[in-house]
Amino acid sequence: MSFSSVKDIPAIKEPIFFDDDISRKKERTWNPLYIRERDAYGGGSICVWGGISLGGHTDLHVFPRGTVNAQAYRDDILHAYVRPYAGEIGDGFLLQDDNARPHRARIVDDYLQQETIQRLEWPARSPDLNPIEYVWDALGRRIAALNPPPQTLATLPTELIYRIFDSITHRCMCCIASGGIILHIEGTFPVPN
């Protein structure tokens, strides 16, 4: 699915499922604002995955080795989280990932086709168009402000996720109007501190 004009952009009322994983670099890992000590022998980075939709969210999934490859994404995320959720929603289910390499691997494409899970096609390197990027931002702000940090997406208010979804149509219109150039769009999504 690709969009060539504003009228082609569907209103987000369907059960689209947005997923993503984030990695923290070593510099940020050691910053006291982002640390909750669990293991004195840890180190490196951490990779966390989460999914949201208008109907809810997943628990956070932590990849213990700090990275994710296509097989781990297929087995640990698509099979364990996305497939059951898609089955509950039915034929209207649509998956939006972030075009990361593991998400575009052949084994992932084959799995999605086998499970008849439809993927939303959208431009690479366009985080402003993915609602979950704003969820990660809001979660990161709360982690930085709280001690101890929250453990699940459930700690974010549902209203926040709805505001994120409401801002996406405007972001898509700005992307189309700029000829596909992704801009940081100020003021379209107020994130509470």
Side-chain angles (χ1 to χ4, degrees), residues 4 15 25 32-33 36 45 51 61 69 74 95 115-116 119 126 129-130 137-138 153 165 168 175 182 188:
S4 58
K25 303 251 188 259
L33 292 173
R36 181 169 183 207
S45 64
H61 178 89
N69 60 27
R74 180 194 65 191
L95 172 69
E115 297 295 329
T116 63
R119 178 190 284 158
S126 51
L129 303 179
N130 192 343
D137 179 63
L153 290 174
F165 274 84
I168 295 305
C175 179
I182 304 304
T188 58

Side-chain angles (χ1 to χ4, degrees), residues 79 83 86 110-118:
H79 189 72
R83 186 180 61 84
D110 292 346
Y111 181 83
L112 292 174
Q113 186 173 12
Q114 170 191 330
E115 297 295 329
T116 63
I117 296 173
Q118 186 178 2

Side-chain angles (χ1 to χ4, degrees), residues 9 24 28 30 32 35 55 65 83 89 96 107 130 144 148 150 154 157 188 192:
I9 301 170
R24 297 279 180 212
R28 200 163 182 187
W30 297 111
I35 292 177
R65 294 191 177 139
R83 186 180 61 84
I89 298 299
Q96 180 182 9
I107 65 169
N130 192 343
T188 58

Side-chain angles (χ1 to χ4, degrees), residues 15-152:
I16 299 175
F17 187 83
F18 301 90
D19 91 322
D20 196 10
D21 47 74
I22 57 172
S23 296
R24 297 279 180 212
K25 303 251 188 259
K26 273 194 175 191
E27 314 83 72
R28 200 163 182 187
T29 302
W30 297 111
N31 185 327
L33 292 173
Y34 304 101
I35 292 177
R36 181 169 183 207
E37 190 169 333
R38 290 184 169 248
D39 180 1
Y41 304 102
S45 64
I46 184 171
C47 183
V48 179
W49 176 90
I52 60 169
S53 75
L54 280 176
H57 54 79
T58 67
D59 289 333
L60 294 177
H61 178 89
V62 177
F63 289 92
R65 294 191 177 139
T67 60
V68 60
N69 60 27
Q71 184 175 345
Y73 180 66
R74 180 194 65 191
D75 298 343
D76 298 345
I77 301 304
L78 294 177
H79 189 72
Y81 293 96
V82 176
R83 186 180 61 84
Y85 191 82
E88 289 292 319
I89 298 299
D91 292 338
F93 182 83
L94 188 60
L95 172 69
Q96 180 182 9
D97 56 29
D98 68 356
N99 291 319
R101 284 186 182 176
H103 302 169
R104 292 294 178 250
R106 180 172 292 160
I107 65 169
V108 169
D109 290 341
D110 292 346
Y111 181 83
L112 292 174
Q113 186 173 12
Q114 170 191 330
E115 297 295 329
T116 63
I117 296 173
Q118 186 178 2
R119 178 190 284 158
L120 176 65
E121 298 297 330
W122 62 299
R125 298 187 195 121
S126 51
D128 276 0
L129 303 179
N130 192 343
I132 200 161
E133 296 299 336
Y134 298 93
V135 171
W136 289 131
D137 179 63
L139 189 59
R141 290 171 189 253
R142 289 187 177 214
I143 288 171
L146 296 176
N147 192 11
Q151 298 296 309
T152 69

Side-chain angles (χ1 to χ4, degrees), residues 172-191:
C172 289
M173 292 183 333
C174 290
C175 179
I176 290 168
S178 70
I181 299 170
I182 304 304
L183 309 168
H184 182 71
I185 303 166
E186 294 291 338
T188 58
F189 175 67
V191 178

